[in-house]
C-alpha cells in the first residue's frame, strides 16, 4: 500500500480500511521515521509499525539560532503546528528543551562497534583537516568558510590536501610546498596522538545521543497511548543503525 504523509482526512485511497496493515521502515532516513510514526497514529488501518532510523544528521529540529530563545518562546515554537521538527517529538523532551547541535547529530551516525572490531584509527585526512584549519586561521584572518567537504579526502599528502581544499574554498596563497608541509610537521607526534584520543573518546558518545533520539520516539508514542519499544535487530558491526522502534495498537 502507498501511504501519504499529507493529511487528507480519508486514508481509503491509500490503505484498505478493512485490512490490518503493518508499516515498515528499513533504515528510514532523517525525518522519515518521525513521519512514519505520525502516519501510524493517524491511520486506523495501520495496526503496527517497525522502523529502523538512520541519517540522524538530516533530522529537522529547532535551528541553532533558537539556542537564544527564551524557554517560553522556545516552547511556543515547538507547539506551533506550522513549525516542522522531527526532534524532539515527545512532550518530555520538548518541555525540557532537549535538542542537539548538528555536530552531535553527525556524531550519532558513527559506528563505534565496527571501529572497535576493526581496531582502526581515524583516517589521515581527519588530521589533515585539523592542521588545515590552523593554516586557514593564520593565513586568512577574518571570517571565511571552512567547509571543504569531501573534495580533498583522496589526497595522498598534506600539500595535495591543502591545494585541493583551497581550490574548493576559492582561495589562493603564495605559500610554497615546503611552507605548507611545515604546518604538518608542527603538529605531528604528540598533537596528532591527542587528536586520535579525542576522536575515540568522542565516538563513545555515539550511542548516548542515538539512544536519546530513540527514547524520544518511544515517549512520543507513549504520549499518544501506544506502547512501544526500541529493540536491537541487527549486528551493530554489520549495520551500525541497528535499533528498531516497534509498536502496535
Amino acid at each position: 500500500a502507498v501511504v501519504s504523509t499529507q493529511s487528507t482526512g480519508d486514508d481509503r485511497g491509500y490503505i484498505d480500511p478493512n485490512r490490518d496493515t503493518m508499516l515498515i521502515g528499513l533504515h528510514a532516513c532523517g525525518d522519515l521515521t518521525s513521519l512514519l510514526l505520525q502516519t501510524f497514529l493517524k491511520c486506523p488501518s495501520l495496526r503496527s509499525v517497525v522502523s529502523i532510523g538512520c541519517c540522524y544528521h538530516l533530522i529537522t529540529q529547532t535551528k541553532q539560532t533558537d539556542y537564544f530563545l527564551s524557554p517560553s518562546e522556545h516552547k511556543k515554537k515547538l507547539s506551533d503546528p506550522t513549525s516542522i521538527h522531527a526532534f524532539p517529538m515527545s512532550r518530555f523532551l520538548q518541555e525540557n528543551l532537549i535538542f542537539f547541535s548538528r555536530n552531535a547529530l553527525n556524531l550519532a551516525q558513527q559506528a563505534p562497534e565496527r571501529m572497535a572490531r576493526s581496531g582502526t584509527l581515524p583516517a589521515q585526512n581527519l588530521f589533515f583537516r585539523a592542521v588545515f584549519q590552523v593554516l586557514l586561521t593564520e593565513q586568512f584572518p577574518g571570517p571565511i568558510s571552512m567547509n571543504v567537504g569531501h573534495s580533498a579526502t583522496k589526497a595522498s599528502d598534506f600539500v595535495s590536501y591543502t591545494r585541493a581544499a583551497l581550490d574548493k574554498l576559492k582561495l589562493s596563497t603564495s605559500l610554497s610546498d615546503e611552507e605548507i608541509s611545515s604546518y604538518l610537521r608542527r603538529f605531528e607526534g604528540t598533537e596528532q596522538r591527542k587528536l586520535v584520543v579525542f576522536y575515540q573518546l568522542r565516538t563513545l558518545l555515539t550511542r548516548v545521543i542515538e539512544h536519546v533520539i530513540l527514547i524520544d520516539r518511544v515517549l512520543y508514542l507513549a504520549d499518544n497511548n501506544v506502547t512501544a519499544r526500541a529493540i536491537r535487530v541487527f549486528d551493530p558491526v554489520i549495520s551500525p543503525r541497528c535499533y528498531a522502534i516497534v509498536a502496535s495498537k
Side-chain angles (χ1 to χ4, degrees):
V2 177
V3 179
S4 172
T5 58
Q6 301 298 318
S7 178
T8 63
D10 183 358
D11 293 307
R12 288 177 296 178
Y14 303 96
I15 299 174
D16 184 347
N18 299 312
R19 183 177 180 180
D20 291 346
T21 305
M22 172 184 283
L23 192 57
I24 299 176
L26 181 61
H27 288 260
C29 183
D31 293 349
L32 185 54
T33 289
S34 302
L35 291 172
L36 290 176
L37 298 182
Q38 292 166 356
T39 303
F40 166 68
L41 293 175
K42 291 177 181 178
C43 181
S45 300
L46 293 174
R47 303 300 298 168
S48 56
V49 62
V50 177
S51 183
I52 299 98
C54 69
C55 301
Y56 297 130
H57 62 294
L58 298 178
I59 287 176
T60 303
Q61 61 167 357
T62 47
K63 296 180 181 179
Q64 194 164 0
T65 53
D66 292 339
Y67 291 166
F68 303 103
L69 294 178
S70 68
S72 60
E73 291 172 326
H74 204 127
K75 290 178 182 179
K76 181 179 180 180
K77 182 168 183 177
L78 284 171
S79 62
D80 181 358
T82 65
S83 177
I84 300 173
H85 50 270
F87 179 86
M89 299 182 70
S90 68
R91 187 179 304 118
F92 177 81
L93 268 70
Q94 288 186 9
E95 290 177 349
N96 287 277
L97 305 181
I98 296 173
F99 52 96
F100 293 117
S101 67
R102 179 63 182 273
N103 283 338
L105 292 177
N106 279 326
L107 180 56
Q109 284 296 104
Q110 300 300 315
E113 292 85 2
R114 184 179 291 174
M115 288 179 56
R117 176 74 63 85
S118 65
T120 56
L121 294 175
Q124 179 75 353
N125 59 41
L126 181 70
F127 179 52
F128 287 173
R129 176 65 183 81
V131 176
F132 178 69
Q133 184 161 341
V134 176
L135 183 150
L136 279 181
T137 302
E138 294 183 358
Q139 297 295 325
F140 301 91
I144 59 170
S145 170
M146 293 192 179
N147 182 17
V148 299
H150 298 285
S151 60
T153 55
K154 295 182 180 180
S156 59
D157 57 73
F158 183 62
V159 172
S160 300
Y161 181 97
T162 299
R163 300 292 186 199
L166 288 174
D167 286 344
K168 169 71 175 179
L169 298 177
K170 295 181 171 54
L171 297 172
S172 61
T173 179
S174 60
L175 289 174
S176 66
D177 288 356
E178 173 58 27
E179 289 172 318
I180 292 174
S181 296
S182 68
Y183 274 90
L184 189 70
R185 292 193 299 271
R186 180 171 146 195
F187 294 100
E188 281 180 324
T190 301
E191 296 302 318
Q192 185 174 8
R193 287 192 291 273
K194 287 180 180 179
L195 179 64
V196 170
V197 171
F198 169 76
Y199 183 86
Q200 291 175 312
L201 290 174
R202 182 174 178 269
T203 303
L204 293 176
L205 297 175
T206 291
R207 292 301 179 196
V208 176
I209 299 170
E210 181 178 27
H211 287 179
V212 171
I213 296 170
L214 293 170
I215 291 170
D216 176 57
R217 292 168 175 176
V218 170
L219 289 176
Y220 167 72
L221 292 172
D223 290 341
N224 289 275
N225 301 313
V226 173
T227 300
R229 292 182 295 168
I231 302 173
R232 198 177 88 172
V233 293
F234 299 133
D235 181 342
V237 175
I238 298 173
S239 176
R241 307 283 73 79
C242 57
Y243 288 92
I245 301 294
V246 180
S248 60
K249 62 183 181 183

